[in-house]
Protein backbone atom coordinates (compact mmCIF):
# COMPACT_ATOMS: atom_id res chain seq x y z
CA UNK A 1 0.00 0.00 0.00
CA UNK A 2 1.70 3.15 -1.12
CA UNK A 3 -0.56 5.92 0.08
CA UNK A 4 -3.32 5.96 2.70
CA UNK A 5 -5.32 8.27 4.91
CA UNK A 6 -6.10 6.74 8.31
CA UNK A 7 -9.04 8.58 9.80
CA UNK A 8 -11.50 8.34 12.70
CA UNK A 9 -8.66 7.66 15.15
CA UNK A 10 -7.31 9.03 18.39
CA UNK A 11 -3.60 9.74 17.97
CA UNK A 12 -0.95 9.59 20.67
CA UNK A 13 1.69 11.41 18.67
CA UNK A 14 4.22 11.54 21.57
CA UNK A 15 5.08 15.05 20.36
CA UNK A 16 5.95 17.46 23.16
CA UNK A 17 6.27 16.34 26.76
CA UNK A 18 3.19 14.05 27.08
CA UNK A 19 1.08 11.76 24.92
CA UNK A 20 0.50 14.52 22.37
CA UNK A 21 -3.13 13.42 22.02
CA UNK A 22 -5.09 14.38 18.92
CA UNK A 23 -8.86 13.77 18.93
CA UNK A 24 -10.69 12.91 15.69
CA UNK A 25 -7.26 12.51 14.21
CA UNK A 26 -6.00 11.53 10.79
CA UNK A 27 -2.68 10.28 9.47
CA UNK A 28 -1.65 10.73 5.86
CA UNK A 29 0.89 8.09 4.78
CA UNK A 30 2.97 7.82 1.61
CA UNK A 31 6.22 6.20 0.54
CA UNK A 32 6.46 4.38 3.86
CA UNK A 33 6.50 7.66 5.77
CA UNK A 34 4.05 9.84 7.66
CA UNK A 35 3.11 12.75 5.40
CA UNK A 36 0.89 14.53 7.88
CA UNK A 37 -0.64 13.98 11.36
CA UNK A 38 -3.40 16.05 12.99
CA UNK A 39 -7.14 16.57 13.42
CA UNK A 40 -9.11 15.50 10.31
CA UNK A 41 -10.74 18.94 10.25
CA UNK A 42 -7.33 20.49 9.58
CA UNK A 43 -6.34 18.06 6.81
CA UNK A 44 -4.43 19.91 4.08
CA UNK A 45 -6.26 19.65 0.74
CA UNK A 46 -3.37 17.86 -0.97
CA UNK A 47 -4.06 14.76 1.20
CA UNK A 48 -7.86 14.81 0.88
CA UNK A 49 -7.99 12.39 -2.05
CA UNK A 50 -5.85 9.63 -0.46
CA UNK A 51 -7.59 6.24 -0.05
CA UNK A 52 -9.33 6.40 3.33
CA UNK A 53 -9.27 3.80 6.09
CA UNK A 54 -11.76 4.15 8.95
CA UNK A 55 -9.94 3.18 12.14
CA UNK A 56 -13.20 2.90 14.12
CA UNK A 57 -12.23 5.44 16.76
CA UNK A 58 -9.23 3.35 17.87
CA UNK A 59 -6.02 4.67 19.40
CA UNK A 60 -2.95 4.91 17.15
CA UNK A 61 0.51 5.19 18.68
CA UNK A 62 3.97 4.96 17.17
CA UNK A 63 4.84 1.25 16.94
CA UNK A 64 6.69 0.24 20.11
CA UNK A 65 10.46 -0.23 19.96
CA UNK A 66 12.25 -2.84 22.08
CA UNK A 67 15.61 -1.13 22.56
CA UNK A 68 17.39 -3.80 24.68
CA UNK A 69 17.15 -7.54 23.98
CA UNK A 70 19.30 -10.65 23.97
CA UNK A 71 16.78 -12.30 21.65
CA UNK A 72 19.29 -14.57 19.90
CA UNK A 73 20.76 -17.28 22.10
CA UNK A 74 21.01 -21.06 22.43
CA UNK A 75 19.46 -23.24 25.10
CA UNK A 76 17.34 -22.31 28.08
CA UNK A 77 17.90 -21.58 31.78
CA UNK A 78 14.89 -23.26 33.39
CA UNK A 79 17.22 -25.27 35.66
CA UNK A 80 18.81 -22.05 36.90
CA UNK A 81 15.34 -20.73 37.61
CA UNK A 82 14.78 -23.73 39.87
CA UNK A 83 18.13 -23.19 41.63
CA UNK A 84 17.36 -19.56 42.27
CA UNK A 85 14.00 -20.50 43.75
CA UNK A 86 15.91 -22.79 46.13
CA UNK A 87 17.97 -19.82 47.30
CA UNK A 88 21.02 -19.53 45.02
CA UNK A 89 21.61 -15.94 43.87
CA UNK A 90 22.16 -14.82 40.26
CA UNK A 91 25.72 -13.76 41.09
CA UNK A 92 26.53 -17.04 42.91
CA UNK A 93 25.33 -19.07 39.92
CA UNK A 94 27.40 -16.88 37.59
CA UNK A 95 30.55 -17.28 39.73
CA UNK A 96 30.07 -21.07 39.74
CA UNK A 97 30.24 -21.07 35.92
CA UNK A 98 26.47 -21.20 35.33
CA UNK A 99 24.39 -18.21 34.37
CA UNK A 100 25.57 -16.37 31.27
CA UNK A 101 28.33 -18.96 30.68
CA UNK A 102 25.83 -21.81 30.45
CA UNK A 103 24.07 -19.90 27.65
CA UNK A 104 27.50 -19.31 26.05
CA UNK A 105 28.05 -23.08 25.87
CA UNK A 106 24.61 -23.63 24.31
CA UNK A 107 25.06 -20.74 21.86
CA UNK A 108 28.51 -21.91 20.73
CA UNK A 109 27.00 -25.33 20.03
CA UNK A 110 24.14 -23.89 17.93
CA UNK A 111 24.29 -23.33 14.15
CA UNK A 112 23.19 -20.02 12.66
CA UNK A 113 20.01 -21.72 11.42
CA UNK A 114 19.31 -23.06 14.90
CA UNK A 115 19.84 -19.62 16.46
CA UNK A 116 17.44 -18.07 13.97
CA UNK A 117 14.83 -20.79 14.49
CA UNK A 118 14.89 -20.46 18.26
CA UNK A 119 14.73 -16.65 18.16
CA UNK A 120 11.72 -16.48 15.81
CA UNK A 121 9.02 -17.43 18.35
CA UNK A 122 10.38 -14.84 20.77
CA UNK A 123 10.42 -12.23 18.00
CA UNK A 124 6.87 -13.17 17.00
CA UNK A 125 5.69 -12.62 20.57
CA UNK A 126 7.09 -9.08 20.46
CA UNK A 127 5.59 -8.36 17.03
CA UNK A 128 2.17 -9.58 18.18
CA UNK A 129 2.13 -6.57 20.50
CA UNK A 130 2.84 -4.12 17.70
CA UNK A 131 6.62 -3.83 18.01
CA UNK A 132 8.29 -2.63 14.78
CA UNK A 133 11.94 -2.22 15.82
CA UNK A 134 14.02 -4.61 17.93
CA UNK A 135 17.59 -4.24 19.10
CA UNK A 136 19.42 -7.57 19.41
CA UNK A 137 22.74 -8.04 21.19
CA UNK A 138 25.49 -10.59 20.75
CA UNK A 139 27.39 -11.59 23.89
CA UNK A 140 26.76 -15.31 24.26
CA UNK A 141 29.54 -16.31 21.86
CA UNK A 142 32.62 -14.69 23.42
CA UNK A 143 34.80 -15.86 20.55
CA UNK A 144 35.05 -14.32 17.11
CA UNK A 145 33.09 -16.89 15.13
CA UNK A 146 30.31 -17.33 17.67
CA UNK A 147 29.83 -13.59 18.17
CA UNK A 148 29.65 -13.04 14.40
CA UNK A 149 27.24 -15.97 14.05
CA UNK A 150 24.90 -14.40 16.63
CA UNK A 151 24.96 -11.07 14.80
CA UNK A 152 24.33 -12.71 11.42
CA UNK A 153 21.43 -14.66 12.92
CA UNK A 154 19.98 -11.44 14.34
CA UNK A 155 20.24 -9.65 10.99
CA UNK A 156 18.57 -12.60 9.25
CA UNK A 157 15.48 -12.17 11.40
CA UNK A 158 14.67 -9.01 9.45
CA UNK A 159 14.59 -11.03 6.21
CA UNK A 160 12.08 -13.49 7.69
CA UNK A 161 9.66 -11.09 9.39
CA UNK A 162 8.43 -7.54 8.74
CA UNK A 163 10.56 -5.83 11.40
CA UNK A 164 13.56 -3.55 11.70
CA UNK A 165 16.48 -5.15 13.56
CA UNK A 166 19.43 -3.25 15.00
CA UNK A 167 22.42 -5.27 16.13
CA UNK A 168 24.65 -4.46 19.08
CA UNK A 169 28.04 -6.05 19.67
CA UNK A 170 28.24 -7.19 23.32
CA UNK A 171 31.54 -9.06 23.33
CA UNK A 172 32.25 -7.62 26.79
CA UNK A 173 29.34 -9.50 28.38
CA UNK A 174 31.22 -12.13 30.38
CA UNK A 175 34.72 -13.52 30.56
CA UNK A 176 35.08 -16.98 28.96
CA UNK A 177 36.07 -19.78 31.38
CA UNK A 178 39.76 -20.05 32.32
CA UNK A 179 40.59 -16.74 30.64
CA UNK A 180 42.11 -13.60 32.09
CA UNK A 181 39.64 -10.73 31.65
CA UNK A 182 42.26 -8.25 30.41
CA UNK A 183 43.61 -10.77 27.92
CA UNK A 184 40.06 -11.54 26.75
CA UNK A 185 39.28 -7.84 26.17
CA UNK A 186 42.48 -7.11 24.25
CA UNK A 187 43.08 -10.38 22.39
CA UNK A 188 39.52 -11.48 21.60
CA UNK A 189 36.81 -8.94 22.36
CA UNK A 190 38.27 -5.94 20.52
CA UNK A 191 39.63 -7.90 17.49
CA UNK A 192 36.22 -9.59 17.16
CA UNK A 193 34.57 -6.15 17.19
CA UNK A 194 36.80 -5.16 14.27
CA UNK A 195 35.82 -8.31 12.39
CA UNK A 196 32.11 -7.82 13.06
CA UNK A 197 32.31 -4.17 12.00
CA UNK A 198 34.21 -5.08 8.82
CA UNK A 199 31.34 -7.41 7.92
CA UNK A 200 28.83 -4.56 8.52
CA UNK A 201 27.18 -6.34 11.43
CA UNK A 202 27.45 -3.69 14.16
CA UNK A 203 25.09 -0.77 14.80
CA UNK A 204 26.32 -0.11 18.35
CA UNK A 205 28.61 -1.54 21.04
CA UNK A 206 27.57 -2.57 24.57
CA UNK A 207 29.29 -4.00 27.63
CA UNK A 208 28.46 -5.41 31.07
CA UNK A 209 30.15 -3.27 33.73
CA UNK A 210 29.68 -5.22 36.96
CA UNK A 211 31.50 -7.05 39.73
CA UNK A 212 30.75 -10.37 38.00
CA UNK A 213 31.73 -9.01 34.58
CA UNK A 214 34.09 -6.17 33.55
CA UNK A 215 35.59 -3.10 35.25
CA UNK A 216 35.15 0.46 33.98
CA UNK A 217 38.81 0.42 32.86
CA UNK A 218 38.24 -2.71 30.75
CA UNK A 219 35.01 -1.33 29.27
CA UNK A 220 36.80 1.94 28.49
CA UNK A 221 39.20 0.04 26.20
CA UNK A 222 36.24 -1.43 24.30
CA UNK A 223 34.67 2.03 24.08
CA UNK A 224 37.90 3.54 22.76
CA UNK A 225 37.98 0.89 20.03
CA UNK A 226 34.32 1.60 19.23
CA UNK A 227 34.94 5.32 19.05
CA UNK A 228 37.83 4.75 16.65
CA UNK A 229 35.42 2.85 14.39
CA UNK A 230 32.79 5.59 14.70
CA UNK A 231 30.34 3.29 16.50
CA UNK A 232 27.99 4.52 19.24
CA UNK A 233 28.19 2.85 22.65
CA UNK A 234 25.80 1.85 25.43
CA UNK A 235 26.35 0.02 28.70
CA UNK A 236 24.80 -2.40 31.21
CA UNK A 237 25.56 -0.28 34.27
CA UNK A 238 24.88 -0.43 38.03
CA UNK A 239 22.53 -3.42 37.71
CA UNK A 240 23.57 -5.38 40.81
CA UNK A 241 26.09 -3.06 42.45
CA UNK A 242 27.53 0.43 41.90
CA UNK A 243 30.77 0.17 39.92
CA UNK A 244 30.93 3.49 38.06
CA UNK A 245 29.53 2.32 34.73
CA UNK A 246 27.00 5.11 34.45
CA UNK A 247 29.64 7.82 34.82
CA UNK A 248 31.77 5.99 32.26
CA UNK A 249 28.85 5.77 29.83
CA UNK A 250 28.18 9.49 30.23
CA UNK A 251 31.85 10.28 29.68
CA UNK A 252 31.68 8.48 26.32
CA UNK A 253 28.37 10.16 25.42
CA UNK A 254 26.75 6.75 25.32
CA UNK A 255 23.36 6.40 23.69
CA UNK A 256 22.11 4.71 26.86
CA UNK A 257 22.98 3.38 30.29
CA UNK A 258 20.84 0.33 31.00
CA UNK A 259 19.44 -1.17 34.24
CA UNK A 260 20.90 1.61 36.47
CA UNK A 261 19.22 0.38 39.67
CA UNK A 262 22.26 1.44 41.73
CA UNK A 263 22.84 4.76 39.95
CA UNK A 264 23.20 7.80 42.22
CA UNK A 265 21.95 11.38 42.02
CA UNK A 266 25.37 12.34 40.67
CA UNK A 267 25.06 9.65 37.99
CA UNK A 268 21.66 11.11 37.04
CA UNK A 269 23.26 14.53 36.60
CA UNK A 270 25.98 13.01 34.41
CA UNK A 271 23.42 11.21 32.22
CA UNK A 272 21.42 14.41 31.80
CA UNK A 273 24.50 16.43 30.85
CA UNK A 274 25.56 13.81 28.29
CA UNK A 275 22.06 13.34 26.85
CA UNK A 276 22.36 9.62 27.63
CA UNK A 277 19.06 7.72 27.94
CA UNK A 278 18.42 5.59 31.06
CA UNK A 279 16.99 2.28 29.84
CA UNK A 280 14.92 0.68 32.61
CA UNK A 281 14.55 -3.10 32.58
CA UNK A 282 11.90 -4.06 35.13
CA UNK A 283 11.75 -7.64 33.83
CA UNK A 284 15.24 -8.30 35.23
CA UNK A 285 14.42 -6.49 38.49
CA UNK A 286 11.33 -8.67 38.86
CA UNK A 287 12.99 -11.95 37.91
CA UNK A 288 15.95 -11.46 40.26
CA UNK A 289 13.76 -10.28 43.16
CA UNK A 290 15.75 -7.07 43.31
CA UNK A 291 14.73 -4.53 45.91
CA UNK A 292 16.60 -1.37 44.89
CA UNK A 293 14.64 0.43 42.19
CA UNK A 294 16.38 2.87 39.83
CA UNK A 295 16.49 6.51 41.04
CA UNK A 296 13.40 7.58 39.09
CA UNK A 297 12.92 10.79 41.09
CA UNK A 298 16.49 11.88 40.32
CA UNK A 299 16.04 11.02 36.63
CA UNK A 300 12.86 13.11 36.55
CA UNK A 301 14.45 15.99 38.42
CA UNK A 302 17.43 16.06 36.06
CA UNK A 303 15.37 15.53 32.92
CA UNK A 304 17.01 12.20 32.02
CA UNK A 305 15.04 10.48 29.24
CA UNK A 306 13.82 7.09 30.47
CA UNK A 307 13.24 4.19 28.07
CA UNK A 308 11.74 0.79 28.91
CA UNK A 309 12.73 -2.50 27.30
CA UNK A 310 12.21 -6.24 27.73
CA UNK A 311 15.90 -7.23 28.24
CA UNK A 312 14.62 -10.50 26.76
CA UNK A 313 17.29 -13.05 27.81
CA UNK A 314 17.20 -16.59 29.17
CA UNK A 315 18.64 -15.74 32.58
CA UNK A 316 17.58 -12.52 34.24
CA UNK A 317 14.59 -11.57 32.09
CA UNK A 318 12.84 -14.31 30.10
CA UNK A 319 10.31 -11.71 29.01
CA UNK A 320 8.88 -11.31 25.52
CA UNK A 321 6.24 -8.66 26.22
CA UNK A 322 6.82 -4.95 26.00
CA UNK A 323 3.30 -4.34 27.32
CA UNK A 324 4.20 -6.28 30.45
CA UNK A 325 7.47 -4.32 30.71
CA UNK A 326 5.32 -1.15 30.66
CA UNK A 327 3.07 -2.52 33.40
CA UNK A 328 6.11 -3.54 35.48
CA UNK A 329 7.70 -0.14 34.93
CA UNK A 330 4.60 1.45 36.46
CA UNK A 331 3.99 -1.07 39.23
CA UNK A 332 7.59 -1.76 40.29
CA UNK A 333 9.28 1.57 39.46
CA UNK A 334 6.25 3.90 39.80
CA UNK A 335 6.51 5.30 36.30
CA UNK A 336 3.36 6.95 35.05
CA UNK A 337 1.61 5.19 32.12
CA UNK A 338 2.60 8.24 30.09
CA UNK A 339 6.28 7.75 30.96
CA UNK A 340 5.91 4.04 30.15
CA UNK A 341 4.54 4.76 26.67
CA UNK A 342 7.21 7.39 26.06
CA UNK A 343 9.69 4.77 27.27
CA UNK A 344 8.84 2.32 24.49
CA UNK A 345 8.45 4.93 21.74
CA UNK A 346 10.24 8.27 21.63
CA UNK A 347 12.82 7.47 24.32
CA UNK A 348 13.43 3.94 23.04
CA UNK A 349 14.22 5.45 19.63
CA UNK A 350 16.71 7.82 21.29
CA UNK A 351 18.33 4.90 23.14
CA UNK A 352 19.09 3.43 19.70
CA UNK A 353 20.18 6.72 18.15
CA UNK A 354 17.17 6.66 15.80
CA UNK A 355 15.54 9.91 14.77
CA UNK A 356 13.16 8.49 12.16
CA UNK A 357 10.66 6.71 14.44
CA UNK A 358 9.06 6.79 17.88
CA UNK A 359 6.66 9.68 17.20
CA UNK A 360 3.82 10.43 14.83
CA UNK A 361 5.20 13.34 12.86
CA UNK A 362 5.71 14.21 9.18
CA UNK A 363 8.80 12.65 7.67
CA UNK A 364 9.08 9.79 10.16
CA UNK A 365 8.60 6.13 9.27
CA UNK A 366 4.95 5.09 9.20
CA UNK A 367 5.51 2.39 11.87
CA UNK A 368 2.22 2.35 13.77
CA UNK A 369 0.31 0.36 16.35
CA UNK A 370 -3.50 0.51 16.26
CA UNK A 371 -5.03 -0.45 19.60
CA UNK A 372 -8.50 -1.48 20.72
CA UNK A 373 -8.36 0.90 23.66
CA UNK A 374 -9.85 4.32 24.31
CA UNK A 375 -7.10 5.74 26.52
CA UNK A 376 -3.33 5.29 26.26
CA UNK A 377 -3.03 4.50 29.98
CA UNK A 378 -4.84 1.21 29.25
CA UNK A 379 -1.70 -0.06 27.50
CA UNK A 380 0.24 -0.14 30.79
CA UNK A 381 -2.73 -1.03 32.98
CA UNK A 382 -3.59 -4.61 32.09
CA UNK A 383 -1.45 -7.68 32.82
CA UNK A 384 -1.24 -10.35 30.15
CA UNK A 385 -3.82 -8.84 27.80
CA UNK A 386 -3.00 -7.77 24.26
CA UNK A 387 -5.29 -5.10 22.79
CA UNK A 388 -3.38 -4.75 19.50
CA UNK A 389 -5.71 -4.39 16.52
CA UNK A 390 -3.17 -3.85 13.74
CA UNK A 391 0.51 -3.19 13.20
CA UNK A 392 1.77 -1.02 10.33
CA UNK A 393 5.35 -1.12 9.16
CA UNK A 394 6.58 1.56 6.76
CA UNK A 395 3.07 2.48 5.72
CA UNK A 396 1.66 -1.02 5.21
CA UNK A 397 -0.46 -3.14 7.55
CA UNK A 398 1.22 -6.41 8.48
N1 LIG B 1 22.48 -8.10 32.20
C1 LIG B 1 21.36 -8.70 31.84
O1 LIG B 1 20.28 -8.42 32.23
C2 LIG B 1 21.66 -9.74 30.86
N2 LIG B 1 23.03 -9.49 30.60
C3 LIG B 1 23.47 -8.57 31.43
O2 LIG B 1 24.61 -8.19 31.41
C4 LIG B 1 21.48 -11.10 31.45
C5 LIG B 1 22.27 -12.14 30.79
C6 LIG B 1 22.01 -13.53 31.29
O3 LIG B 1 21.78 -13.77 32.50
O4 LIG B 1 22.08 -14.44 30.46
FE1 LIG C 1 20.69 -7.01 29.12
Amino acid sequence: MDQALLCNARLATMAGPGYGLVERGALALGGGRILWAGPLDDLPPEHAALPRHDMGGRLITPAPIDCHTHLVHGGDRAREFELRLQGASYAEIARAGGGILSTVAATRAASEDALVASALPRLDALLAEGVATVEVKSGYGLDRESELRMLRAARRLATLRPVRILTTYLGAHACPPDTDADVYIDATCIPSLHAAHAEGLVDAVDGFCEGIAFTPAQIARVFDASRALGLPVKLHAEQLTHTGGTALAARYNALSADHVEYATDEDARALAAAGTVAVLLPGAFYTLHETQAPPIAAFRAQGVAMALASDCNPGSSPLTSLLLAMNMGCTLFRLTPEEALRGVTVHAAAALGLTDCGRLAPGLRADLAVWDVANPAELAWRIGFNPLHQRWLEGAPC
Side-chain angles (χ1 to χ4, degrees):
M1 186 177 311
D2 190 35
Q3 295 206 313
L5 182 69
L6 312 191
C7 42
N8 190 19
R10 222 175 167 207
L11 310 180
T13 64
M14 313 316 287
Y19 289 126
L21 276 182
V22 175
E23 305 296 344
R24 289 175 298 282
L27 277 173
L29 314 179
R33 299 273 161 165
I34 297 169
L35 302 174
W36 182 86
L40 183 63
D41 287 347
D42 299 348
L43 184 73
E46 67 261 35
H47 303 312
L50 295 181
R52 293 194 178 207
H53 298 255
D54 187 328
M55 305 315 282
R58 293 184 180 87
L59 177 75
I60 302 182
T61 68
I65 296 162
D66 197 346
C67 67
H68 179 142
T69 86
H70 309 252
L71 202 73
V72 168
H73 58 79
D76 72 87
R77 300 259 282 281
R79 178 63 191 139
E80 174 183 325
F81 179 59
E82 293 175 322
L83 290 175
R84 275 190 283 106
L85 288 170
Q86 287 160 22
S89 79
Y90 180 72
E92 281 162 6
I93 291 168
R95 274 190 225 103
I100 293 176
L101 290 181
S102 68
T103 300
V104 170
T107 303
R108 285 178 173 177
S111 66
E112 187 182 316
D113 286 350
L115 291 176
V116 170
S118 71
L120 277 175
R122 296 188 280 272
L123 177 63
D124 286 338
L126 294 175
L127 302 191
E129 291 183 349
V131 168
T133 301
V134 181
E135 183 257 21
V136 182
K137 302 176 193 297
S138 69
Y140 290 120
L142 310 184
D143 63 43
R144 180 186 306 216
E145 258 325 297
S146 308
E147 286 292 305
L148 265 62
R149 195 164 66 253
M150 284 188 76
L151 294 168
R152 287 186 205 116
R155 288 282 176 103
R156 247 176 69 195
L157 296 173
T159 68
L160 299 169
R161 293 292 186 273
V163 65
R164 173 150 68 155
I165 300 284
L166 275 81
T167 46
T168 299
Y169 176 75
L170 177 57
H173 192 197
C175 192
D178 307 317
T179 311
D180 176 80
D182 284 305
V183 172
Y184 170 70
I185 291 290
D186 297 328
T188 302
C189 178
I190 291 172
S192 303
L193 167 61
H194 283 111
H197 175 67
E199 207 176 303
L201 292 171
V202 185
D203 295 310
V205 178
D206 194 352
F208 189 17
C209 190
E210 187 59 63
I212 55 169
F214 297 100
T215 64
Q218 289 160 343
I219 297 292
R221 297 212 292 282
V222 179
F223 281 5
D224 285 333
S226 310
R227 190 179 261 178
L229 295 172
L231 292 170
V233 299
K234 42 184 48 247
L235 191 62
H236 287 68
E238 337 294 7
Q239 179 187 4
L240 307 169
T241 56
H242 189 277
T243 62
T246 308
L248 177 79
R251 206 153 60 240
Y252 280 82
N253 290 106
L255 292 173
S256 68
D258 301 40
H259 290 284
V260 291
E261 274 86 342
Y262 286 83
T264 62
D265 288 3
E266 199 181 327
D267 292 330
R269 278 193 291 278
L271 292 179
T276 298
V277 177
V279 177
L280 310 179
L281 304 168
F285 178 91
Y286 165 86
T287 301
L288 300 183
H289 295 257
E290 294 293 327
T291 52
Q292 175 149 338
I296 304 297
F299 292 154
R300 283 190 189 124
Q302 297 298 328
V304 176
M306 293 182 278
L308 271 172
S310 70
D311 195 14
C312 174
N313 77 70
S316 65
S317 189
L319 170 64
T320 46
S321 168
L322 216 40
L323 288 173
L324 187 50
M326 290 168 69
N327 175 270
M328 288 178 173
C330 295
T331 304
L332 299 174
F333 297 164
R334 302 276 164 178
L335 296 184
T336 66
E338 187 178 286
E339 286 171 327
L341 187 57
R342 293 182 70 74
V344 299
T345 55
V346 57
H347 291 158
L352 296 176
L354 299 175
T355 54
D356 63 353
C357 59
R359 289 175 296 124
L360 305 181
L364 301 201
R365 284 166 61 106
D367 294 347
L368 317 171
V370 185
W371 307 97
D372 267 317
V373 305
N375 295 301
E378 290 177 54
L379 298 175
W381 159 57
R382 289 183 191 265
I383 301 171
F385 181 77
N386 180 5
L388 186 80
H389 172 72
Q390 207 171 40
R391 194 175 74 103
W392 289 61
L393 191 78
E394 293 194 284
C398 55

